[in-house]
Amino acid sequence: MRYEVHRFANGLTVATAPMPHMASVSVGLWVGVGGRYEPGELNGASHFIEHMLFKGTARRNAHQISQAVEGIGGYLNAFTGEENTCFYAKARAEHFEHLLSVLTDMFLNSLFDPAEVEKEREVIKEELAMYLDQPQHLVHELLTEEMWPDHPLGRPLTGTEATLDKLDRKRLLAFRGNNYVAPALVISIAGNIDHERAVRAVQRLAPSFPAGKRPNFQQASCEQRKPQVRLARKQTSQLPLALGFRVCSRHDDRRFPLRVLNTILGENASSRLFQSLREEHGLTYCIHSSVSHFDDVGCLSISAGLDSSDLEKTMTLIVRELQRFRDETVDAKEVRQARDYLIGQMEIGLESTDNQMMWLGEQILGYGKIMPPEEIKRRIYEVKASEIRKVAKDFIRADRVTATVVSPLKNSTAVQKTLIKLGV
């Protein structure tokens, strides 16, 4: 795969992944700004703005925006993360310029009609209520809040009812004006299109993107001395449990053995946690681990749903599997299978124009350049069992773990006592 990047004088970046064998093209308009860029009183602003860009411009109303893409057989969507927001569309490659026109019209010309702001505020409140009614979502909201207290990373991306009520048109436009500037923007394009055509199309629009300085965010602290446990009392038919370990940033080379460790631990049905807790002991239907990295910190998380009477046994088994990574060197066959899984999943994913478009945007905003997938695969392939054990000793520790539980239980003593066994 050949990736090409062009930066305009105002800082706007265009990145392409030509895939001439594909019938489609995916276009992403990325902003290197997300929830962690918001001061406390503006919590939820990025997500609110994401919603508002679909509500109409001087040229198209909300229905016409959807119809402009769906009417040619394509689709249009967006998402907000902690560090990025992305608006994207996909259709047949012949419609590339049209997709770009719709996305830039939304991005540059949204009206933020006061009546629509008021209406969308209520829609987002319903979205928030929906999430909070889902114990598995709530337990992860509580986990991030406990891991990053008094920090934007610990706040919900949707905001809260209190902050949503304060996000009026003036504040939303001010946040957008201060942050959605050309140096923070990437237009990523993947599919049946060549780089020169893409640059020419964006060049006509580039002067319309506002100038400014790429915004900064508040650094996160990793200070912790002992396990942190939070219990939210709620009547549930199943007890959702989440564990989070503070790990390295996306710039740390330890992320490669950590990804392999995570795969062995709980990423799929072959993993240790799945085989132990579900297949051998029948304690849970769902058990999963994942790893996420930010610019300065990261998190290795484990989530499970179980019967409240099985909490202590489940915790004991999870901690036992975690301790194995510190106490034993992982078998060579297990390392090889995990590496092959990660590389295979990456190759399968990058067969689509959507995922190639995502790769471009995330790489440029996260690293300032595109690391070729071949380089990532090489780094994963070179991971050794000794490196996995080392990152386990670095990160799987009692002074790096946080646990959250949503249940009718009156205390979480069993969780605290079990996590202390991880040591430091």
Side-chain angles (χ1 to χ4, degrees), residues 12-23:
L12 175 67
T13 300
V14 179
T16 60
M19 303 172 74
H21 55 289
M22 302 297 284

Side-chain angles (χ1 to χ4, degrees), residues 27 29 57 59-60 68-69 95-109 201 205:
V27 183
L29 205 168
T57 69
R59 183 177 172 188
R60 300 177 176 95
V69 177
H95 297 300
F96 162 64
E97 281 84 0
H98 178 69
L99 295 181
L100 184 63
S101 170
V102 174
L103 285 170
T104 52
D105 183 35
M106 292 168 57
F107 190 83
L108 295 170
N109 305 316
L205 301 163

